[in-house]
RNA sequence: GCGCCAGUAGCUCAGCUGGAUAGAGCAGUAGCCUUCUAAGCUAUUGGUCGGGGGUUCGAAUCCUCCCUGGCGCGCCA
């Protein structure tokens, strides 16, 4: 059990006994201890008495006195009531040293929770397979991996999933782009996918199939750009169905290979790639698509209007109802997605997290509405949004467009600054904050980068520890170990912090924690030479160094960043 | 027009489920390398927490109105 949980139990018992309250009476008031930010306030402090003052109609300081009198724990050295009525407690030195001992003996198991028997499914990236990943997708990717890792640290069994939009119009346009790239260079490229990768795909495809043999459209085409594309797609579909289908399949597979490679280079691997096309045909009653509609209808949440079938999502707070089946009987993209979530639900995870770019925020309500209609009682869906990444070059904003092929690819960025720097940089900001990313500056800054600062602390630990390891069987000095308040405070409370970061889905807090821990260690390092002649002092400082190293390593690994032992 | 996100030091950002004097990094200034890696440390300058009201023992944090910026509001995907 965590230190802080032991202390809180004691605190709650004391409150119960002193005022004959039941736990339910104050459960919501959040009365527990928090680790102090300043040594003046002890190791932990609680504002319980301030929060209870009104309810108990008594002065906060009196309440604090009474509660602290009943606060019994061998972990506590001293209790004081300060300020308006805060209860501040000081841990005994041996309680602190004992935590370091646990950390060093148990390594990552010290901070992690054991299997809590719950399964979580995290869906992220899921970008259309119509182009390589760009920098913006990278943010979703690193967020997804970090959140998955955080959940794992809390004992969840986590699966990572990518939803592949392989069925829609976008793929037809991709195929069309490849055809026109090959046979008609003078064609206006508006609305088509462009860029080097289209040319690569075209070349590769024409090696096995001669695209020049496909028919040339001779009918007159619409002036409307969108409509024109649809006419061309329809033409190739009917005139050269075999080649068309071959090309579509080829294009999807090639693009997915590219995306997979981009992700792998970032150290990100999904457990499952779910294809949109696999939700099946609505006319097939065994398909999840049909089952999804059936499930919603069963709850009396569908209705017909204008020949279409609608879902009454406004019942869940959506701003309008949503079409499931179009007037022509075809499922909407939305229904396909509902079908996908039906499939997820049937796979019986307890917890679902979807990580979406903020440009999809309008989509959140309608998908949670459908999910809540179809889910089982024990299941829940949560959507984590991340704001977009704006790219700047020399202070000028770069517009990004997959269509035009004018984008900064994740792969290009990775080649320039490395995947771990990208991860650290993206994860450092909280997800609902837009990132203004200046490519040149990121490169320039790589020397004063917080990534290197944090890694450097770990490197310093390693370089000391390779000379000598701490040994609890040898002499050590508790006073020597505990004199570095900030450093000890962070190490000891790491498991609790980690739990909070996981619950809040906030890897950025972990990044900030690690930077601060690194700062505390750098400071310690300057004034406390570890490898000194006095064995007791050396061993004491080795204990601190080893504990720091374990926490840094553990935290970096959760961010999917490789801890360095040399720089 | 409606909805979501943001506005905190010159710059980039933490802190936001109310708590003790608002914190980092970068940039600036002044110091520290015969000693475990100076990609480091120490000291220091810099703040009407976008603005106005309100809620209370206490507000950067909650409510409300307004201002600015980004994004989204299809029987597209």
């Amino acid at each position: 059990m965590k230190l802080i949980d032991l202390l809180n139990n004691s605190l709650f018992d004391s409150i119960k006994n002193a005022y004959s309250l039941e736990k339910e009476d104050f459960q919501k008031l959040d009365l527990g201890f928090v680790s102090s930010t300043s040594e003046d306030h002890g190791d932990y402090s609680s504002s319980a008495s301030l929060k209870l003052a009104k309810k108990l109609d008594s002065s906060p300081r009196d309440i604090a006195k009474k509660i602290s009198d009943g606060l019994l724990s061998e972990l506590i050295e001293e209790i004081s009531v300060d300020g308006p009525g805060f209860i501040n407690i000081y841990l005994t030195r041996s309680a602190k040293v004992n935590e370091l001992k646990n950390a060093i003996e148990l390594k990552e198991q010290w901070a992690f929770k054991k299997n809590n028997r719950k399964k979580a499914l995290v869906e992220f990236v899921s970008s259309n397979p119509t182009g390589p990943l760009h920098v913006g997708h990278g943010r979703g990717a690193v967020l997804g991996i970090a959140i998955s890792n955080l959940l794992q640290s809390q004992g969840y069994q986590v699966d990572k999933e990518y939803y592949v939009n392989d069925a829609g119009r976008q793929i037809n346009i991709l195929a069309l782009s490849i055809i026109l790239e090959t046979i008609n260079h003078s064609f206006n490229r508006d609305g088509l996918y462009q860029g080097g990768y289209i040319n690569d795909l075209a070349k590769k495809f024409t090696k096995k199939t001669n695209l020049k043999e496909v028919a040339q459209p001779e009918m007159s085409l619409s002036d409307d750009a969108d409509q024109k594309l649809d006419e061309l797609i329809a033409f190739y579909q009917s005139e050269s169905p075999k080649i068309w289908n071959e090309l579509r399949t080829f294009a999807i597979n090639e693009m997915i290979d590219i995306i997979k490679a981009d992700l792998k280079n970032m150290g990100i691997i999904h457990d499952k790639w779910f294809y949109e096309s696999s939700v099946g045909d609505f006319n097939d009653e065994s398909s999840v698509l049909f089952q999804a509609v059936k499930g919603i209808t069963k709850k009396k949440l569908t209705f017909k209007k204008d020949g279409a079938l609608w879902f009454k999502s406004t019942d869940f707070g959506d701003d309008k109802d949503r079409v499931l089946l179009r007037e022509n009987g075809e499922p909407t993209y939305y229904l396909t997605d509902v079908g996908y979530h039906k499939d997820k639900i049937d796979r019986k995870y307890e917890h679902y997290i979807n990580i979406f770019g903020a440009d999809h925020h309008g989509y959140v309500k309608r998908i949670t509405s459908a999910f809540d209609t179809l889910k089982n009682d024990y299941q829940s869906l949560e959507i984590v949004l991340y704001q977009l990444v704006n790219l700047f070059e020399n202070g000028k904003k770069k517009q990004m467009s997959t269509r035009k092929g004018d984008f900064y690819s994740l792969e290009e960025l990775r080649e320039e600054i490395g995947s771990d720097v990208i991860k650290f940089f993206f994860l450092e900001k909280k997800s609902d904050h837009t990132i203004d990313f200046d490519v040149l500056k990121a490169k320039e800054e790589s020397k004063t980068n917080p990534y290197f600062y944090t890694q450097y602390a770990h490197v310093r630990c390693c370089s000391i520890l390779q000379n000598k390891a701490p040994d609890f069987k040898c002499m050590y000095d508790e006073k020597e170990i505990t004199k570095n308040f900030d450093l000890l405070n962070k190490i000891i409370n790491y498991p609790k912090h980690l739990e909070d970061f996981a619950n809040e889905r906030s890897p950025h807090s972990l990044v900030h924690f690690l930077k601060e821990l690194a700062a505390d260690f750098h400071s310690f390092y300057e004034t406390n030479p570890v490898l000194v002649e006095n064995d007791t002092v050396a061993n004491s400082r080795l204990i601190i160094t080893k504990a720091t190293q374990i926490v840094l390593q553990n935290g970096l690994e959760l961010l999917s960043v490789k801890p360095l032992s040399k720089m």
Side-chain angles (χ1 to χ4, degrees):
Chain A
M1 197 178 237
K2 295 186 183 75
L3 266 181
I4 195 163
D5 292 332
L6 293 167
L7 294 167
N8 280 335
N9 286 347
S10 169
L11 176 72
F12 297 151
D13 284 344
S14 175
I15 296 172
K16 266 184 356 198
N17 297 334
Y19 293 98
S20 46
L21 291 171
E22 286 309 309
K23 224 176 179 177
E24 297 78 56
D25 295 333
F26 56 82
Q27 212 161 26
K28 281 185 185 161
L29 288 175
D30 197 17
L31 301 180
F33 284 109
V34 294
S35 70
S36 303
T37 45
S38 151
E39 195 168 3
D40 301 340
H41 301 149
D43 292 301
Y44 296 96
S45 59
S46 165
S47 57
S49 45
L50 294 156
K51 286 174 177 157
L52 288 168
K54 193 169 254 178
K55 190 179 177 76
L56 298 173
D57 193 28
S58 177
S59 96
R61 287 192 67 97
D62 289 345
I63 297 172
K65 285 253 160 46
K66 205 164 165 186
I67 295 174
S68 32
D69 285 345
L71 203 50
L72 293 172
S73 168
E74 67 237 16
L75 301 169
I76 300 173
E77 176 75 34
E78 191 191 329
I79 306 175
S80 71
V81 175
D82 297 318
F86 290 98
I87 301 170
N88 295 330
I89 59 176
Y90 294 79
L91 293 178
T92 63
R93 284 180 186 144
S94 28
K96 295 186 182 188
V97 173
N98 195 47
E99 271 308 288
L100 297 191
K101 192 177 175 192
N102 287 340
I104 290 169
E105 280 172 0
L106 300 170
K107 299 213 173 63
E108 71 271 10
Q109 293 311 317
W110 168 64
F112 289 175
K113 265 195 189 150
K114 297 260 156 50
N115 186 354
N116 68 13
R117 295 169 175 276
K118 290 201 172 148
K119 285 168 67 191
L121 182 65
V122 182
E123 183 212 327
F124 60 107
V125 188
S126 300
S127 103
N128 279 341
T130 52
L133 297 178
H134 58 63
V135 170
H137 296 130
R139 188 172 191 189
V142 300
L143 199 56
I145 197 78
I147 288 178
S148 299
N149 290 343
L150 281 174
L151 287 173
Q152 243 158 26
S153 81
Q154 299 307 304
Y156 282 90
Q157 188 202 313
V158 180
D159 285 323
K160 302 182 277 285
E161 190 155 307
Y162 189 118
Y163 180 56
V164 186
N165 297 118
D166 64 330
R169 178 165 180 266
Q170 303 307 323
I171 300 296
N172 285 335
I173 293 177
L174 177 65
L176 184 64
S177 305
I178 294 171
I179 289 182
L180 295 176
E181 177 78 19
T182 313
I183 63 169
N184 189 342
H185 295 283
S186 61
F187 189 82
N188 184 340
R189 292 286 189 277
D190 283 356
L192 291 171
Y193 292 105
Q194 301 164 46
Y197 72 99
I198 293 293
N199 193 267
D200 293 343
L201 289 181
K203 276 189 195 145
K204 197 164 173 186
F205 187 71
T206 46
K207 269 186 191 157
K208 36 182 208 168
T209 307
N210 190 355
L211 267 180
K212 303 225 151 110
E213 281 173 11
V214 297
Q216 293 273 5
E218 282 168 15
M219 74 275 200
S220 64
L221 294 167
S222 167
D223 287 337
D224 181 78
D226 256 2
Q227 215 173 322
K228 183 158 60 183
L229 296 183
D230 287 336
E231 286 165 5
L232 284 167
I233 288 166
F235 172 81
Y236 287 116
Q237 259 171 346
S238 61
E239 291 299 313
S240 319
K242 189 164 167 281
I243 290 181
W244 177 262
N245 287 330
E246 200 183 312
L247 176 59
R248 267 186 57 108
T249 307
F250 165 83
I252 292 166
N253 290 337
E254 286 291 318
M255 282 319 312
I256 287 173
D257 284 350
I258 290 172
I259 291 171
K260 269 187 184 165
D262 287 355
L263 287 171
K264 194 179 171 202
N265 286 338
M266 289 291 295
I268 294 168
I269 292 173
H270 288 79
D271 299 297
K272 185 175 168 77
W273 291 65
F274 186 99
Y275 286 73
E276 179 188 354
S277 52
S278 68
V279 296
D281 186 343
F282 179 73
N283 297 313
D284 171 6
E285 293 197 2
S286 67
S287 69
V288 284
L289 211 53
F290 183 88
Q291 291 301 321
V293 174
K294 193 176 160 193
I296 298 174
T297 306
K298 212 166 140 190
K299 301 240 164 135
K300 302 195 192 320
L301 288 166
T302 53
F303 64 95
K304 286 222 164 192
K305 196 179 104 185
D306 304 332
L309 184 72
W310 297 67
F311 169 42
K312 207 163 176 358
S313 58
T314 47
D315 273 15
F316 297 83
D318 198 1
D319 51 356
K320 45 188 95 155
D321 293 324
R322 305 293 167 182
V323 173
L324 297 169
L325 288 168
R326 298 190 180 100
E327 200 178 350
N328 65 10
E330 289 291 311
T332 56
Y333 172 82
Y334 171 57
L335 173 55
T336 319
D337 210 0
V338 174
Y340 169 46
H341 281 82
K342 167 69 177 152
D343 189 277
K344 281 184 177 177
I345 288 168
D346 291 346
R347 283 186 269 147
K348 296 189 188 312
Y349 290 82
E350 272 81 15
H351 210 74
Y352 299 85
I353 296 183
N354 292 356
I355 295 172
F356 288 168
D359 52 340
H360 289 78
H361 78 257
Y363 201 71
V364 169
K365 205 73 199 179
R366 80 189 75 163
I367 206 68
T368 52
S369 304
F371 181 91
D372 288 343
T373 305
L374 295 169
K375 69 165 186 149
N376 301 297
D377 287 342
Y378 62 90
Q379 296 174 311
S380 67
L381 169 67
E382 177 186 345
I383 312 251
V384 175
L385 293 174
Y386 61 92
Q387 294 291 329
L388 303 184
V389 178
N390 293 320
L391 277 188
F392 288 80
E393 209 158 25
N394 289 325
K396 227 181 119 187
K397 191 169 172 180
K398 266 187 97 168
Q399 293 299 328
M400 279 191 295
S401 159
T402 307
R403 284 284 172 89
K404 291 187 180 153
D406 165 30
F407 55 83
Y408 203 77
S409 77
L410 183 58
E411 184 58 14
E412 283 173 88
L413 184 63
R414 188 192 66 78
E415 280 169 4
E416 292 196 56
I417 66 176
S419 64
D420 284 354
V421 177
I422 295 176
K423 285 174 186 165
F424 210 84
F425 192 90
F426 280 3
L427 291 172
E428 190 187 7
K429 277 92 182 169
K430 73 177 169 193
S431 64
D432 47 13
H433 207 291
T434 308
I435 295 180
D436 289 335
F437 189 84
D438 194 310
V439 180
L440 298 175
K441 217 172 154 197
K443 276 192 275 181
E444 269 174 32
E445 274 184 356
S446 62
K447 277 217 161 168
T448 50
N449 198 307
Y451 164 80
F452 291 98
Y453 182 83
T454 308
Q455 287 281 19
Y456 190 43
H458 185 260
V459 168
R460 282 179 149 178
C461 291
C462 291
S463 101
I464 293 169
L465 290 164
Q466 85 191 68
N467 291 304
K468 204 170 181 202
D471 188 347
F472 279 97
K473 291 197 279 295
C474 298
M475 293 280 282
Y476 56 87
D477 179 358
E478 289 188 340
K479 193 174 173 189
E480 175 63 34
I481 294 175
T482 53
K483 74 180 186 187
N484 306 283
F485 177 84
D486 290 336
L487 185 54
L488 264 277
N489 182 326
K490 289 206 179 59
I491 297 172
I492 287 170
N493 292 300
Y494 176 61
K496 171 63 181 167
H497 287 309
L498 197 55
E499 185 184 5
D500 292 342
F501 302 157
N503 289 337
E504 289 157 15
R505 326 287 184 229
S506 60
H508 81 274
S509 302
L510 176 56
V511 175
H512 285 274
F513 173 86
L514 293 174
K515 283 197 307 192
E516 282 168 20
L517 176 62
D520 289 334
F521 184 77
H522 282 309
S523 178
F524 162 83
Y525 180 95
E526 295 291 334
T527 45
N528 297 275
V530 176
L531 301 169
V532 289
E533 290 204 7
N534 182 326
D535 285 342
T536 306
V537 173
N539 195 30
S540 305
R541 293 177 180 174
L542 279 166
I543 288 170
I544 295 174
T545 305
K546 182 62 188 173
T548 307
Q549 184 270 320
I550 286 171
V551 174
L552 284 173
Q553 176 184 345
N554 190 253
L556 288 170
E557 282 173 352
L558 289 175
L559 298 172
S560 175
V561 169
K562 189 174 185 293
L564 302 176
S565 54
K566 266 186 198 163
M567 275 170 77

